[in-house]
Each structure stands twice: as structure tokens, then as C-alpha cells.
Amino acid sequence: MKLLWRFFFLASSLGSFADCLAQRSVIWREKPGTWLMNVGLGATYYLGDLTEAGNFGHLRLGVAVSAAVAYRYSPHLTLRAEGQIYYIRGSQKNTHLAYNNLSFFSVNPDVWAGAQWDFWPEDDRNHVIIPYVLAGVGLTHMTPKANYGGRSVSLAPLQTEAIAYNRWPMIIRYGLGVPITAGERFKWNLEATYTHVLSDYLDDVSTVYPDQRNRSVLAVALSDRRAELGQGLNPPGAQRGNSNRRDGYLIVSARLVYVLITPLQRNYRRIFHR
């Protein structure tokens, strides 16, 4: 959450500097009843069992693309639904657990619906920059993979911890945003969100090493990768991950928001286009 607040203060400063270009025409003001669409492109940062807190030389950034539709319900409240594809990755290389040699990458979809709350009404003349907070719930599909033997291998079917986990967990998303520039019918926002996944298997790592007897050669090789470093396997029950904290991902994105139609525009069409 501290990362989100730091983003908010930085983005607010940038937004004040840009001064939103100009006042928007009245017909496109986002009064209640306005429909909007937005698309986003951002950088992802996975947080889970394969990240190391405070190790900024170990950043493993990915990318996310998204599209959303929104409806302004009141001067402060906007309802929003969104779909997204995000790429995340993690590795124990160059961490204090490098001897376990675990890693993953994943290209996942997620969908969520929720609400966005503007700090001030859209027509408040005292505030050119109007930051907002957002929160909602949804689902994601987890597809963790790892590179092994020159190819990518899907990890979930191998049950690397001898557990068949749910690959469609719920998510809780919350974040902060701020407009940087605005025209008559569009604006650019900067937005930072954190997605809390209600599963600890986003990275296919959670609990302990299983008993490797009676398991396939590939399952053993991807469950315990110490052999690739010339070391012996971990004993059954040895710690593999931290099941006390679930995984998640942070996304900082630039978003283009487009006004589809407003109540004033609908009235204009009724009057002049009968």
C-alpha cells in the first residue's frame, strides 16, 4: 500500500505541472449518466514466494494491457468493469534462496468489476486535477510455467507440491489514479493498482517439498530444481514457499479514457437530429 501512496503523490505533482491542457467543453463533461471506455498499458511487478523484499536489483518486471467500460453513476462515483492480460515472472536467482533455483513466468487473464471514487466532483472549478481511488473484485486464471530443457513447461498439471490447486481464484483489486492531461472527449490517466490473489499458487510455490517417490521424472525435476545446480534433492517436508501470505501483483499503467456519450450529447442529438 505504501507503493500506491508514493505513486499518488508523484502523479499528482505531474498532473499539476501539465495543468490538464485546457477546460473541457460543456457537452463532454462527465455528468451522471455518462458512459466511458478506457484502455491501458502498464508495467507489472509480481509479489510472492519468489520475490525478495528490499532487493531492488532483483526486479522482474512484466507488462499488462487492459480495456474497461465505465458508467458515471454520480458526481463522485463511477462504476467500472475491466478485462486484462498481464505477464508476470519471478526467480530465486540472486536471492538468499538461490540454491533452490525455483522460477516461473505466467501470462494470465483477469476480469474484475468495482467502483471508482473521485475525490471531488468533475465540475469542481477549484480542482483542475481530480485524483481517484478504486476497488473491486474479480477472477484470474493462473498459468504458471517454467523453462526447462530448452522449452516452457506448464507447472500446474505437474502438481509440484503434490496439490491440485484451483487455477481460477478470486481477486481483490484496489488502487489510486490521477488525470495528467484532458481534452474535450479524452484524458490520460496514470494509475497504480495492487491485485491481491486469493491463492498462494500464482507462482506455483506455497508450502513444502513433497515425497518424490512414485512421481514422474518431469514432475520431480520441476518440483525440486537443485539437481540443475549439482545438489541433492530436498527431503520431503522441507520448506519450499511461505503459505502464510498470498500472492499478488502491482501494475502501474497509463490509461486513455474516452467519453462515449454523455446526457448532454444525447439531448443534443434528440433536438438537432430528429
Side-chain angles (χ1 to χ4, degrees):
M1 195 63 187
K2 289 181 180 178
L3 289 174
L4 293 179
W5 281 112
R6 288 174 183 171
F7 162 83
F8 167 72
F9 288 120
L10 176 60
S12 295
S13 300
L14 290 173
S16 298
F17 178 74
D19 200 33
C20 281
L21 291 183
Q23 292 292 327
R24 302 170 70 187
S25 65
V26 173
I27 196 172
W28 296 118
R29 289 196 177 277
E30 298 162 22
K31 302 292 186 181
T34 297
W35 284 92
L36 307 104
M37 180 181 72
N38 78 64
V39 293
L41 176 65
T44 64
Y45 176 56
Y46 140 82
L47 293 100
D49 298 87
L50 302 186
T51 52
E52 187 170 61
N55 186 354
F56 294 105
H58 185 249
L59 289 176
R60 299 288 188 267
L61 300 181
V63 67
V65 293
S66 60
V69 62
Y71 176 76
R72 185 170 284 276
Y73 182 78
S74 76
H76 286 280
L77 180 65
T78 299
L79 305 179
R80 177 167 155 182
E82 183 173 337
Q84 180 171 246
I85 301 291
Y86 62 98
Y87 167 67
I88 54 174
R89 57 194 178 121
S91 169
Q92 291 178 330
K93 185 178 180 180
N94 299 324
T95 73
H96 71 288
L97 294 174
Y99 56 84
N100 278 331
N101 198 33
L102 297 176
S103 64
F104 90 105
F105 66 92
S106 193
V107 179
N108 301 334
D110 70 32
V111 293
W112 73 282
Q116 175 180 312
W117 181 264
D118 291 357
F119 285 14
W120 303 288
E122 189 273 342
D123 58 358
D124 188 337
R125 296 296 192 275
N126 295 319
H127 300 93
V128 177
I129 305 301
I130 305 176
Y132 59 88
V133 294
L134 62 92
V137 297
L139 291 171
T140 190
H141 180 49
M142 304 186 301
T143 62
K145 296 181 179 180
N147 290 317
Y148 179 74
R151 61 191 179 102
S152 65
V153 180
S154 183
L155 296 173
L158 297 177
Q159 298 185 19
T160 55
E161 294 183 0
I163 294 174
Y165 53 82
N166 173 26
R167 297 177 66 184
W168 286 94
M170 290 188 65
I171 59 174
I172 300 172
R173 177 163 296 160
Y174 49 88
L176 302 162
V178 64
I180 297 302
T181 63
E184 287 190 356
R185 200 167 182 176
F186 71 91
K187 59 185 174 183
W188 284 99
N189 290 358
L190 276 180
E191 190 172 282
T193 61
Y194 181 74
T195 303
H196 180 71
V197 182
L198 300 185
S199 169
D200 192 38
Y201 280 102
L202 183 65
D203 47 20
D204 195 66
V205 179
S206 179
T207 58
V208 298
Y209 287 92
D211 188 334
Q212 305 290 11
R213 291 176 296 180
N214 302 318
R215 289 165 55 80
S216 71
V217 173
L218 186 60
V220 174
L222 273 301
S223 172
D224 192 335
R225 306 193 65 173
R226 285 163 58 94
E228 296 171 52
L229 302 179
Q231 303 180 50
L233 298 182
N234 284 282
Q239 201 67 34
R240 190 170 187 264
N242 178 10
S243 60
N244 294 323
R245 190 173 67 178
R246 290 173 174 171
D247 301 328
Y249 46 97
L250 176 72
I251 298 178
V252 177
S253 61
R255 309 193 67 89
L256 176 63
V257 182
Y258 180 76
V259 178
L260 293 173
I261 191 167
T262 68
L264 280 176
Q265 186 196 19
R266 283 194 291 269
N267 291 337
Y268 177 85
R269 286 180 174 178
R270 292 192 192 101
I271 294 171
F272 295 101
H273 299 276
R274 298 189 204 189

